[in-house]
């Protein structure tokens, strides 16, 4: 399932894929997918596209790269329509559909208290306000992302030994800190609890409900939790962000949050049902899950039942993504039912860019030939540098590069911005601009991002890398730097990959880009663009055994994988 990281959190406010000349959008998707496989970021993936009446399923790369051995599983070949992948948090949309189906059948109501369906549980409440099924389905339950007593014996299969008894014990002890329904906060725990509630009401397991009400009616023979013989034979091998083969995930208690596996041919049927294709049976409640229910706190982004509803480039798109330890997924469609996409990959590497390339209409390249770029001095450019907060966890950092200003949104690559006139800058790689605002004294105090018809204000929250400026960078021998290279697990499904290139160390969080880290002492490193530090830990024999991420007042330990 998708685990958003504590380091460099990803935000979808700024779409930074390059705009292209108008062309057949399937060719654009093929180009992006081919690039992801060609640069070895992902061993293999399958892309399903629907454009009106046209449907395509395209495979790229291999079902395994063989790194670390395949243990008799899949042998290298092109993934295809029948190749099976873990779909992670896309499973949440199945859970939401079960909820909507049961609502339509009169078996429950969205505003039913969860406690009424699970009398054996002690469900927390806040000042008399109970958690409802709608709260769980819209990620507004006030429950945390994960239960604090999730302490896996096997980090490579983190949910396998988490029991229903563990879940009951956590809920019995947990105290809510705010009113349910008041704030969006992604919660795998919440969706796991929702699947338990639905199962209890139906008197059947979650796996049985998925088969009975979704998979069989839609003809999805290769979709489920337990692997059938056919699914096992067609299962793609999972890989981590470094390309190493990893174990599959099992989620017996929190199944509704991310336990399902499926194939492209099955997910095409699922996608068509949501797009209301004439030749596909539409289960009860499909229209309900797509309806925006509550805000998320991010401009232009709302949530329905599991599905996120986003306004991008004048289009309303409905989407969800997912990630497990060895797989990534994306599903989305335009609200008008004209375009749809499914991306299934056999690596824990974000594939949202491929999905969005299929959903968004092709745009003409930004015409900058007649733009009169205003020349500003280095001193003038320095006025704009700083950190600007677009949304919780979304910081736009403006820094001075060798040829002008660079803008970087949390979790994305840097992009050059160019002055059009005083206090106004534009991007050349996307249709977006930044308007800076000054206070009465003339000092820059905020900016507004203009993109896709939206104006997103961002208050200046400080100078760029204030803490980093206080730290003195030192040079460590290349051989010493190589000691830190490896994978470190900070949370289930969230790793920090440390790599070395030409004497420079880089840190890459799951599903995100890499960022340089700088030594300030032996075993101590810092980031310059984000207020975060890393401390590496050693065993008695001197071998690196783990690290601690220091950020936002938190210390997150992560053991080194394989140790």
């Amino acid at each position: 399932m998708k685990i958003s990281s504590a380091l460099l959190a990803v935000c979808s406010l700024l779409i930074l894929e390059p705009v292209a000349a108008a062309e057949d959008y399937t060719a654009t998707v093929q180009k992006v997918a081919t690039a992801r496989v060609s640069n070895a970021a992902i061993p293999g993936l399958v892309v399903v596209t629907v454009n009106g009446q046209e449907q395509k399923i395209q495979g790229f790369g291999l079902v395994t790269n063989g790194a670390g051995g395949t243990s008799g599983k899949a042998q290298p070949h092109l993934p295809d329509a029948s190749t099976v992948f873990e779909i992670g948090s896309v499973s949440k949309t199945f859970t939401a559909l079960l909820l909507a189906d049961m609502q339509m059948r009169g078996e429950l109501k969205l505003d039913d208290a969860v406690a009424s369906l699970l009398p054996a549980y002690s469900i927390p409440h806040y000042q008399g306000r109970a958690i409802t099924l709608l709260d769980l389905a819209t990620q507004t339950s006030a429950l945390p992302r994960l239960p604090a007593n999730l302490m896996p014996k096997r980090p490579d299969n983190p949910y396998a030994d988490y029991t229903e008894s563990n879940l009951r014990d956590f809920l019995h002890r947990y105290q809510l800190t705010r009113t349910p329904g008041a704030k969006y906060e992604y919660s795998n725990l919440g969706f796991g609890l929702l699947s338990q509630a639905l199962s209890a009401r139906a008197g059947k397991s979650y796996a049985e409900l998925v088969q009975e009400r979704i998979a069989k009616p839609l003809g999805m023979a290769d979709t489920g939790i337990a692997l059938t013989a056919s699914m096992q034979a067609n299962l793609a091998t999972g890989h981590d962000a470094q390309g190493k083969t990893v174990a599959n995930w099992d989620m017996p208690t929190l199944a509704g949050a991310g336990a399902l596996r499926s194939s492209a041919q099955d997910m095409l049927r699922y996608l068509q049902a949501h797009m209301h294709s004439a030749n596909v049976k539409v289960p009860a409640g499909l229209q309900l899950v797509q309806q925006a229910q509550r805000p998320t706190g991010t401009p232009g982004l709302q949530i329905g039942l599991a599905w996120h509803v986003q306004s991008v480039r004048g289009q309303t798109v409905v989407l969800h993504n997912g990630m497990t330890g060895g797989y990534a997924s994306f599903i989305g469609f335009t609200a008008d039912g004209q375009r749809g996409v499914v991306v299934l990959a056999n690596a824990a590497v974000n594939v949202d860019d491929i999905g969005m390339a299929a959903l968004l209409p092709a745009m003409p390249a930004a015409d900058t030939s007649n733009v009169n770029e205003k020349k500003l001095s280095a001193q003038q450019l320095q006025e704009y540098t700083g950190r600007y907060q677009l949304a919780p966890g979304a910081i736009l950092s403006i820094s001075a590069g060798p040829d002008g200003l660079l803008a970087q949104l949390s979790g994305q690559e840097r992009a050059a911005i160019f002055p059009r006139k005083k206090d106004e800058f534009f991007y050349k790689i996307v249709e977006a601009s930044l308007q800076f605002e000054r206070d009465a004294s003339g000092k820059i105090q905020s900016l507004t991002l203009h993109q896709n018809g939206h104006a997103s204000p961002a208050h200046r929250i400080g100078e760029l890398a204030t803490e980093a400026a206080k730290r003195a960078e030192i040079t460590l021998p290349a051989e010493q730097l190589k000691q830190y290279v490896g994978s470190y697990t900070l949370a289930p499904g969230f790793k920090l990959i440390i790599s070395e290139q030409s004497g420079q160390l880089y840190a890459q969080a799951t599903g995100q880009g890499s960022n340089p880290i700088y030594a300030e002492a032996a075993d101590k490193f810092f980031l310059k663009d984000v207020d975060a530090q890393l401390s590496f830990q050693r065993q008695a024999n001197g071998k690196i055994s783990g690290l601690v991420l220091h950020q936002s007042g938190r210390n997150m330990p992560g053991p080194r994988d394989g140790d």
Side-chain angles (χ1 to χ4, degrees), residues 369-382:
S369 58
N370 295 320
V371 173
N372 183 21
E373 293 181 26
K374 185 178 179 64
K375 299 299 181 182
L376 298 177
S377 67
Q379 183 177 358
Q380 289 175 306
L381 291 175
Q382 193 64 36

Side-chain angles (χ1 to χ4, degrees), residues 21-22 57-58 72 81 112 145 152 218 222 237 275 281-282 291 315 411 513 533 558 561:
I57 298 180
Q58 298 174 280
D112 283 346
R145 174 179 290 274
L218 291 178
D222 290 329
T237 302
M275 296 174 68
K281 180 179 179 181
V282 178
Q291 296 174 2
Q315 286 271 12
Q533 301 81 44
D561 296 343

Side-chain angles (χ1 to χ4, degrees), residues 388-416:
Y388 301 80
Q389 186 156 19
L390 283 162
I395 307 298
L396 189 61
S397 297
I398 307 298
S399 59
D403 300 313
L405 289 186
L406 299 172
Q408 183 179 32
L409 184 65
S410 300
Q412 297 187 1
E413 299 297 325
R414 289 185 179 90

Side-chain angles (χ1 to χ4, degrees), residues 172-521:
H172 177 71
R173 298 171 183 272
Y174 188 74
Q175 294 184 347
L176 299 182
T177 59
R178 63 177 181 273
T179 304
K183 179 182 177 182
Y184 171 89
E185 182 180 7
Y186 199 85
S187 175
N188 293 318
L189 166 63
F191 259 88
L193 180 61
L194 178 57
S195 63
Q196 289 285 348
L198 299 181
S199 178
R201 175 52 56 93
K204 298 179 180 180
S205 71
Y206 175 78
E208 290 172 328
L209 281 175
V210 169
Q211 290 300 314
E212 177 186 289
R213 303 199 181 193
I214 301 176
K216 289 183 179 179
L218 291 178
M220 301 170 67
D222 290 329
T223 298
I225 296 177
L227 293 169
T228 64
S230 174
M231 291 171 67
Q232 182 69 61
N234 291 309
L235 180 65
T237 302
H239 304 77
D240 64 18
Q242 287 186 307
K244 180 182 177 182
T245 58
V246 295
N248 293 106
W249 278 12
D250 301 294
M251 303 179 65
T253 301
L254 303 179
L260 292 175
R261 288 110 178 193
S262 190
S263 66
Q265 59 191 4
D266 277 12
M267 291 303 294
L268 172 59
R269 302 287 289 178
Y270 188 68
L271 177 65
Q272 289 176 313
H274 283 78
M275 296 174 68
H276 302 286
S277 298
N279 61 336
V280 178
K281 180 179 179 181
V282 178
L286 261 173
Q287 191 66 43
L288 177 60
V289 298
Q290 306 170 26
Q291 296 174 2
Q293 298 284 344
R294 289 176 179 171
T296 64
T298 296
L301 181 65
Q302 295 179 290
I303 187 167
L305 302 185
W307 292 92
H308 292 86
V309 183
Q310 187 172 15
S311 177
V312 184
R313 290 185 186 169
Q315 286 271 12
T316 297
V317 295
V318 184
L319 52 89
H320 209 292
N321 61 9
M323 188 178 292
T324 63
Y327 303 83
S329 58
F330 179 96
I331 181 172
F333 52 93
T334 57
D336 61 10
Q338 293 303 301
R339 287 185 174 180
V341 63
V342 175
V343 185
L344 303 174
N346 63 344
V349 177
N350 189 286
V351 293
D352 291 11
D353 58 331
I354 303 174
M356 294 304 289
L359 291 179
L360 299 180
M363 295 180 63
D367 182 7
T368 59
S369 58
N370 295 320
V371 173
N372 183 21
E373 293 181 26
K374 185 178 179 64
K375 299 299 181 182
L376 298 177
S377 67
Q379 183 177 358
Q380 289 175 306
L381 291 175
Q382 193 64 36
E383 289 187 81
Y384 303 100
T385 61
R387 302 168 69 240
Y388 301 80
Q389 186 156 19
L390 283 162
I395 307 298
L396 189 61
S397 297
I398 307 298
S399 59
D403 300 313
L405 289 186
L406 299 172
Q408 183 179 32
L409 184 65
S410 300
Q412 297 187 1
E413 299 297 325
R414 289 185 179 90
I417 56 174
F418 304 87
R420 180 179 285 124
K421 57 184 180 181
K422 182 180 180 181
D423 297 344
E424 183 180 340
F425 290 72
F426 67 96
Y427 291 83
K428 289 184 178 180
I429 65 168
V430 290
E431 293 286 351
S433 64
L434 298 176
Q435 178 69 52
F436 291 85
E437 292 88 27
R438 299 174 182 267
D439 60 20
S441 68
K443 183 178 180 180
I444 301 293
Q445 63 175 355
S446 63
L447 64 75
T448 300
L449 165 66
H450 298 275
Q451 188 180 27
N452 304 324
H454 294 287
S456 302
H459 186 69
R460 189 175 188 176
I461 59 174
E463 300 300 324
L464 189 66
T466 302
E467 289 301 315
K470 301 177 184 177
R471 300 176 183 275
E473 179 184 350
I474 66 171
T475 301
L476 296 179
E479 287 306 311
Q480 184 172 345
L481 292 179
K482 287 179 169 50
Q483 297 177 15
Y484 305 107
V485 172
S487 173
Y488 302 80
T489 299
L490 294 172
F494 173 43
K495 297 177 182 290
L496 198 59
I497 308 299
I498 305 298
S499 60
E500 183 269 339
Q501 298 178 31
S502 303
Q504 174 65 59
L505 282 190
Y506 293 85
Q508 181 177 21
T510 297
Q512 300 181 23
S514 61
N515 291 268
I517 59 174
Y518 304 88
E520 60 178 328

Side-chain angles (χ1 to χ4, degrees), residues 60-107:
F60 304 84
L62 300 171
V63 296
T64 178
N65 65 9
T70 60
S71 303
K73 289 186 177 181
Q75 296 303 311
H77 63 81
L78 184 73
D80 56 26
S82 61
T83 303
V84 174
F85 300 79
E86 292 181 353
I87 64 172
S89 282
V90 171
S91 303
K92 290 180 173 67
T93 68
F94 285 74
T95 308
L97 182 52
L98 290 176
L99 171 63
D101 179 79
M102 295 176 78
Q103 151 98 1
M104 297 300 290
R105 295 179 188 222
E107 298 172 354

